[in-house]
Amino acid sequence: MDRVDELALLLRVVDQTVEQKKPSVVVLRGEAGVGKTSLLTTFAHEAGARHSAAHLLTGYGQAMLNSLASDSFQAVRECLRSMAASAQRSGSPSRWHRITQSFKENAPDWIESVPVVGQVLAAGVRTGQSYAASGGERTEMDSRLDQLLRLIEDIVTDAPLLMVLDDLHWADTATIDLLTTIALRVKGPLILVLAYRSDQLKSAEQTHPLQRTVFRLCRYLPDTPVIDLPRLSPQDTEELVRRTAAGPRIASHAVSRIVQLSAGNPLFAESLARVNQRNGHLPPRQITAVIEDRLSYLSSEDQRLLETAAMIGYHFEVDFLAQLTRLDIDDVFERLHVLFDEHDLVRPADRRNEYDRYRIHHPLFAQVLRERGVANGPRWRRHHAKLLQIIEAEQDWDDELWVRAAAVAVEARNSTKAGTLALQAARRQFVLGAVAKARDLARIAVENAPSFDAFALLAECLAAGGDHVGGVDACVAALELPEAATADPALVAPVRLLWARTLRMTCRWTETVDVLDQLAVAYPQPGGLLAETLNLYAEVALCGPVQDCSRCIDLCDQVAAMSADPEVQSRAFGHRGLAHLAAFQPMEAEQWLQKAIDVAAAAGHPYAEYEAVHWLSKKTMACMELERSAQLLAQLREMSQTSGVASENPPHVRDLSRVLGLRGEFPNAANAFAVFTDISQNSAAGRISTTLACQLAEIEWQHGPVAGGEFLDELARATDEDFLLVESRQLLQGLVERFRERQLGWDPVSFAISVLGVPEEDAQAADAIFRFDVPSLVQLRAGLL
């Protein structure tokens, strides 16, 4: 019952990390109520006591319920607060000073998330901008993600750090991406424990981003322990029941019934034992009914108090609760103490600024309480309207409070405030890099208070998230609003440029050119806007239906001369290099592609550098420089792991499969293609199918028809690997069977369209990407012999 084996394994990981000063990642998963949180709380306490001599810092954070009110990085914020409190409680002034100074120097934009640190530092040093203005060494602060990485790296140079992140099934994509980057980049003694409910990751509609992250960590960090927390044995369940049912001895037949009904789930067993202890009736079988039954033994006043608390949040401010319930705050504290001491339904939590907070015992209880509140619609809306007034009275809102206020306004049915608050919150989340959260907030802004700014931000979020079709629609909606006609042209132009870019990404070439023509006429003066317009013209000339390499090269020269932006320049040089390649001029291509890399690297622009290295890898594959291709793809993989660039971008994985296939390493090529399929979007099935057809045809061109069959055999074997998602496995198994039907002299694009049912537009686009827009790879390669 005490989870001795799992606790021992977790502590061994800490021992090893402290001793070897090398990072460790642990994944802990299990169903709701199986005891993850209890185990992790005990583990964090014992690890801190066990390694106090090594000055181990511990931090524990939970993701909140998966609602709008769960702002980006919630679990990380809670973990930082806990870590800072751990350092403060250590009794070492030097250690505490070290932590506060590290926040100030390395992560000033995170200070507002950790009030105990902010209170120590100067009041003016609240954000990265104010720190820079106060004379900090960096005049341009790094992003918040880079700041946090630098903070952690700085802390682990002095002492080991344990970060426990719980309930990550509720975490937003930005949090998951951040934790992945931390896990892959930090090299010092960091123990990162990631815990989640495995049953919450199963969905028929889409793959949870955390599931992909776990696959990725296990792939790149093969020593990562993955602990599946099992249910309790009947003996352990019985012991838990007898401990829970304090007081009179519980009857043996009641214990047996609870053991049977709970099926080894600790939360279920505990709740059933408490219910049984009170009246001995047959408990319900469903956990929701168990929780409802347990709550029913509270007075109606305490039930309503808890419903209101859950409305505020899984963690709730006592002061807010007192105002909403119109009770004296001392009376609220007394009632919370009873709910904590006698009923074990709430627990004290860390303070938020000057506010004392509690948290509800378990997220399932909070979920049931919120459902109760929603059922009473008028009361629910009225309380949210009042909560919004309470929040609006606060000063110095941080990102967390902006998101929270927007969520409260939505529940209060205050469309005007919901739209305004959601738009502001979306902007802040987008700057943080929390694209998915920003997109959701922008949609709320559009639904509640449609405006040019709201649609424009939604378009930007959709494009950044890869939904270019949605981005096109949002751009059109923004530009069709009456206010767009009277808005400042300087604000409208970027939306038109984004419209052209999203149209280009959907291969709607005629419409792309029409929008670019409008921009070129409206903004003919040399500058950033015209430079980006010409860059898109160059992409159309290179990748469009009628390839014009000379025009692409000329346009790229104009862009490079017009713009000093290294990202724009690097893209122009890269496009020019690919245009030379398409014109069968590999030496010139090499020159310009290398120049694209140099410009991006000199400016310290990781995204542009990743893109430029990827372009050079295309050239080496086209020219059959396979050893060099492998080296560049390894470099891309390293960039993706260590800097967070393109963390879910599969091109280098796809291309690795291709290079391995050209080298005749069919088992590895098949495994790489399976991984590529697994990390691609489900909507990309047509392009995946065409890419596989092109790769199979290329293997046969290089090694003969028999080799193609060998590759398919290896791909069939790879589909049995456990790491593959079900939909990926099914797609590949179906493709392998269809490809076995191919005839001699088959054409991969025609096969994809006629046999695999791929839309012609998708098949042609995938083929163009595979050829790197070179009209004939056979002709290019023949010229190199």
Side-chain angles (χ1 to χ4, degrees), residues 90 141 160 169 249 384 525 702 734 772:
S90 69
M141 295 303 300
H169 50 276
R249 178 180 174 85
H384 275 90
Q525 297 301 318
Q702 175 77 350
F772 316 124

Side-chain angles (χ1 to χ4, degrees), residues 436-480:
K437 179 64 66 177
R439 178 201 61 212
D440 293 342
L441 287 160
R443 281 181 173 146
I444 290 170
V446 164
E447 292 169 1
N448 286 272
S451 66
F452 174 81
D453 288 345
F455 275 111
L457 183 56
L458 177 60
E460 195 168 2
C461 293
L462 290 168
D467 184 358
H468 301 295
V469 173
V472 169
D473 294 340
C475 286
V476 171
L479 295 169
E480 286 181 345

Side-chain angles (χ1 to χ4, degrees), residues 304-587:
R304 284 195 294 272
L305 184 76
L306 282 177
E307 289 171 15
T308 306
M311 184 205 76
I312 297 171
Y314 178 43
H315 293 79
F316 58 91
E317 292 83 357
V318 180
D319 186 76
F320 290 4
L321 183 58
Q323 293 184 59
L324 289 172
T325 56
R326 298 182 180 181
L327 294 172
D328 181 82
I329 193 165
D330 289 332
D331 290 339
V332 173
F333 271 112
E334 285 300 319
R335 290 171 66 174
L336 289 174
H337 176 70
V338 172
L339 291 170
F340 162 59
D341 190 51
E342 296 184 12
H343 300 279
D344 197 26
L345 290 173
V346 297
R347 304 280 176 83
D350 292 335
R351 289 167 60 89
R352 182 180 72 81
N353 298 333
E354 71 274 18
Y355 294 111
D356 286 307
R357 296 194 305 168
Y358 277 69
R359 67 176 175 85
I360 296 170
H361 165 56
H362 193 279
L364 287 176
F365 281 93
Q367 187 172 338
V368 169
L369 289 164
R370 285 180 62 85
E371 289 171 356
R372 281 182 167 198
V374 172
N376 188 343
R379 178 176 178 269
W380 185 256
R381 290 191 296 274
R382 183 177 178 82
H383 269 1
H384 275 90
K386 189 173 181 180
L387 179 58
L388 182 59
Q389 293 177 358
I390 294 171
I391 292 175
E392 288 179 323
E394 288 206 40
Q395 303 294 322
D396 301 324
W397 286 15
D398 59 9
D399 299 304
E400 180 178 354
L401 206 55
W402 277 104
V403 175
R404 193 174 181 186
V408 172
V410 170
E411 295 292 347
R413 303 286 181 86
N414 189 328
S415 295
T416 301
K417 287 188 176 180
T420 302
L421 292 169
L423 179 59
Q424 182 65 20
R427 286 173 175 155
R428 296 173 71 102
Q429 294 294 315
F430 192 76
V431 171
L432 281 175
V435 176
K437 179 64 66 177
R439 178 201 61 212
D440 293 342
L441 287 160
R443 281 181 173 146
I444 290 170
V446 164
E447 292 169 1
N448 286 272
S451 66
F452 174 81
D453 288 345
F455 275 111
L457 183 56
L458 177 60
E460 195 168 2
C461 293
L462 290 168
D467 184 358
H468 301 295
V469 173
V472 169
D473 294 340
C475 286
V476 171
L479 295 169
E480 286 181 345
L481 289 174
E483 62 183 284
T486 58
D488 184 348
L491 299 177
V492 176
V495 178
R496 290 191 175 277
L497 186 66
L498 179 60
W499 185 21
R501 187 175 295 115
T502 50
L503 284 168
R504 176 263 177 275
M505 294 303 295
T506 55
C507 300
R508 293 157 68 174
W509 304 108
T510 302
E511 295 173 72
T512 303
V513 172
D514 288 344
V515 176
L516 292 176
D517 288 345
Q518 297 171 25
L519 282 168
V521 170
Y523 302 96
Q525 297 301 318
L529 185 65
L530 182 59
E532 294 208 49
T533 300
L534 296 179
N535 234 346
L536 281 173
Y537 270 129
E539 287 191 45
V540 175
L542 176 63
C543 309
V546 180
Q547 189 175 72
D548 189 339
C549 295
S550 297
R551 173 170 167 75
C552 178
I553 291 170
D554 179 61
L555 288 166
C556 290
D557 285 345
Q558 294 181 50
V559 171
M562 186 180 302
S563 175
D565 185 335
E567 183 180 8
V568 176
Q569 281 194 338
S570 177
R571 187 172 293 114
F573 293 148
H575 289 157
R576 174 166 183 171
L578 293 176
H580 282 294
L581 187 65
F584 305 110
Q585 299 169 343
M587 293 183 63

Side-chain angles (χ1 to χ4, degrees), residues 59 76 79-80 152 161-165 179 182 190-193:
V76 177
C79 190
L80 291 178
I152 293 173
L161 172 61
L162 168 63
M163 295 180 68
V164 179
L165 289 306
L179 294 175
I182 291 172
L190 168 69
I191 307 101
L192 193 63
V193 180

